[in-house]
Amino acid sequence: MSIINSLINLGPSVMMPIIFFILALAFGVKIGKAFKAGMLVGIGFEGIGLVIGLLLDSLGPATKAMVERFGLNLTVVDPGWPVGATIGWGSPIVPIVVFGALIINILFLVLKLTKTVNIDIFNYWHFLLTGGVIYAATHSIAIASIGALISFIVVLFIADKTAPKIQETYDLKGVSFAHATSAVYVPIGIAINWIIEKIPGLRDIDANPDKITKKFGVMGEPLTLGTILGAGLGILAGWDITKVLTLGVKVAAVMVLLPAMINVLVEGLITVRDAAEETLKKKFPDREFYIGLDTALLIGDPAVLATGLLMIPAALLLAVILPGNKVLPFVDLASLVFLIPMTSPYCKKNMFRIFVTGLVVITLVLYAGTSIAPYYTEAAKIANVTMPEGANASGGMASLVGGATTPLGWILIKLSTLFR
C-alpha cells in the first residue's frame, strides 16, 4: 500500500508517464522514443488537468451564485467528487480491494474474459467509494470488499463491450474506459436513443456539432457555442456584464484548448499502442487488448462538453421540482460532464439525445443521493473527511459524480444492507 499510495500521490501527470515509459520499453520501443511517448502522455494529462481546472474554477463561483440566487434549500449537500475520492481512498477496504482488482484484471486477461488492461489506478476511487459506503452501512469489510469488486468486474465488462464503438466515434484506437461512473450510464444512453428513434418529430432533431458548424459556419463552432453557454450561465448566476463576458471567454477557451491537450496525450499514446499491438500480435495472434484510461480523454468532444454545460441549470431545476429529492447540487455541478461522455456514441453525438439522457441520469443520481445520504455521511466520518465549511450538514451529504450514486452503486449498497 505504501507503493500504491506513493503512485497515487504523484497524480496522473507524473504517474502515467512512468507507466507508459515502462510499457513502451516492455514492448520494444527504444529508450529515447519511449521517454518522449511517456512525457507526451504526462504533458497531455497535465494540460487536460489545467484546462479542466480552468473550467471548474470558472464555473464553481457561477454555480454557487446560482444556488444562492434561486434560494435552494435542500438538506443533503453535494460536496463534490474530490470528497468522494478521499472517502474511497480513506476507507479500510483499500488494501483488499486494490490488490483484489489487480489480481482479478490479470486473471480475467489470462482466462480471456476481458481485453481491458485497466491502468487507470487513480479512478479506482469510484468503486472504492461504493465499497466505503457499503462498509458504513454494514460495518463488514468482507461485504464492502465484495461489493466494490463486483462494481469493478461489471465496469470491466462494460469497458470491453463499449470499446469498439467509443474507439470509432472518438478516433481513439486500442483504448477502453473502465470508469465506474461514466460506464454505468451507457445502458441509459442506449435506451433513450432507442425510445427517441421511435418518436416521430423527436427523432428528426439533429443537434450534432459537426452538422451545426457546417450549417451555421462560425456561429456553430465550439468556441462560439462555449461563449454563448458560458455567458448564459453567468446571466443565470446574476452576474454583471464584466463577469458574464469573462466566463463566456473562459468557457470558449476550454472548448478550444481541451481537444488540443487531448491530441498531445494521444500522440504519446499512439507510440505505445502501436508497439503494444505489434508485440502482442506476435505473442498472442488471436487476442486483442485495450488500455483502460480515464474518461477525461472524452470530455473535450464539443457535443459532450456543450451538453455538460447545459446540464448545470437543468440539474438545479430538477433538484427543485423532483418530489422527494433532498440533494442540493453544488460542488459537482461543474463536473456533470463526466456523467455522459460514454453515452455520446450511442446517442449519435446528438446533443439533444445526450441532454435527454443527462436529464434521466441526473434524476437517478439525485434520488440515489437522497437514499444513501446517511451511509455516505457515515463513510466520510470513517475516512476522517469533514463536511465542507459553510455547508448545511443537517441532512448529510452525497456527491453527484462518483460510483456510489450510480444505479449500480445504489443497488449494491441497498443489497448490502440486507446482510447487516
Side-chain angles (χ1 to χ4, degrees):
M1 281 311 303
S2 296
I3 295 171
I4 289 176
N5 284 331
S6 298
L7 284 171
I8 295 300
N9 290 334
L10 289 174
S13 59
V14 177
M15 181 174 67
M16 298 308 284
I18 295 171
I19 292 174
F20 273 88
F21 176 69
I22 294 170
L23 283 174
L25 292 178
F27 291 125
V29 178
K30 292 182 179 180
I31 189 166
K33 196 173 181 181
F35 172 77
K36 182 179 179 181
M39 286 304 297
L40 283 172
V41 171
I43 291 166
F45 265 109
E46 185 67 21
I48 290 169
L50 288 171
V51 177
I52 291 176
L54 171 64
L55 177 68
L56 301 185
D57 290 344
S58 303
L59 292 179
T63 55
K64 182 180 179 182
M66 272 187 262
V67 170
E68 293 173 352
R69 186 183 186 201
F70 296 117
L72 302 184
N73 186 23
L74 299 163
T75 57
V76 176
V77 175
D78 155 40
W81 70 263
V83 170
T86 305
I87 294 171
W89 284 110
S91 64
I93 64 170
V94 168
I96 298 171
V97 173
V98 170
F99 287 109
L102 293 172
I103 292 168
I104 287 171
N105 199 172
I106 293 169
L107 183 63
F108 279 23
L109 288 166
V110 171
L111 297 175
K112 300 182 179 181
L113 295 175
T114 185
K115 301 176 183 178
T116 296
V117 184
N118 188 11
I119 64 171
D120 187 23
I121 296 174
F122 176 76
N123 278 317
Y124 277 23
W125 74 263
H126 286 277
F127 55 86
L128 283 169
L129 174 60
T130 300
V133 177
I134 291 174
Y135 179 75
T138 63
H139 297 286
S140 168
I141 287 181
I143 294 173
S145 299
I146 291 170
L149 290 173
I150 289 173
S151 174
F152 176 80
I153 292 168
V154 170
V155 171
L156 205 57
F157 286 136
I158 294 175
D160 269 14
K161 293 294 183 183
T162 58
K165 185 85 170 177
I166 288 176
Q167 289 175 24
E168 179 185 0
T169 302
Y170 291 103
D171 194 25
L172 290 169
K173 187 181 176 185
V175 300
S176 64
F177 299 89
H179 196 278
T181 294
S182 302
V184 176
Y185 298 121
V186 170
I188 297 173
I190 293 171
I192 295 298
N193 187 71
W194 183 85
I195 292 169
I196 290 176
E197 285 285 355
K198 303 296 180 183
I199 304 174
L202 290 184
R203 66 187 175 204
D204 299 324
I205 299 174
D206 192 358
N208 185 298
D210 294 334
K211 294 182 179 179
I212 292 173
T213 300
K214 287 179 182 179
K215 186 174 182 179
F216 297 101
V218 68
M219 294 306 296
E221 288 187 8
L223 64 90
T224 307
L225 197 59
T227 304
I228 294 169
L229 291 173
L233 291 172
I235 292 169
L236 287 174
W239 284 355
D240 60 37
I241 187 65
T242 303
K243 288 186 175 181
V244 167
L245 293 176
T246 301
L247 184 58
V249 172
K250 287 184 176 180
V251 173
V254 171
M255 296 285 282
V256 174
L257 293 175
L258 194 53
M261 293 301 99
I262 291 170
N263 286 338
V264 173
L265 187 151
V266 170
E267 185 181 346
L269 175 64
I270 286 172
T271 300
V272 180
R273 184 201 66 201
D274 289 349
E277 189 174 35
E278 184 179 348
T279 303
L280 292 171
K281 276 186 177 179
K282 289 178 182 177
K283 294 185 178 181
F284 307 99
D286 61 335
R287 295 292 305 275
E288 183 181 20
F289 296 92
Y290 305 137
I291 298 174
L293 296 175
D294 188 347
T295 49
L297 269 72
L298 306 180
I299 69 166
D301 183 84
V304 174
L305 191 51
T307 308
L309 295 172
L310 290 171
M311 285 167 58
I312 293 173
L316 291 172
L317 179 61
L318 285 172
V320 173
I321 67 174
L322 288 175
N325 171 58
K326 296 179 181 178
V327 177
L328 172 66
F330 193 58
V331 180
D332 266 344
L333 278 170
S335 304
L336 293 178
V337 66
F338 284 96
L339 302 179
I340 56 173
M342 291 181 68
T343 67
S344 177
Y346 298 91
C347 295
K348 301 181 178 180
K349 292 180 75 173
N350 185 322
M351 289 191 294
F352 170 71
R353 300 184 183 195
I354 302 170
F355 182 68
V356 175
T357 300
L359 294 180
V360 175
V361 168
I362 292 170
T363 299
L364 294 174
V365 167
L366 290 174
Y367 280 130
T370 299
S371 175
I372 68 165
Y375 305 135
Y376 196 103
T377 308
E378 181 62 25
K381 292 177 182 176
I382 292 171
N384 294 317
V385 176
T386 57
M387 179 69 74
E389 185 179 352
N392 176 11
S394 61
M397 57 181 173
S399 59
L400 300 181
V401 178
T405 47
T406 63
L408 175 62
W410 180 82
I411 290 170
L412 290 171
I413 292 165
K414 285 299 180 179
L415 285 176
S416 71
T417 61
L418 301 177
F419 299 96
R420 285 186 294 183

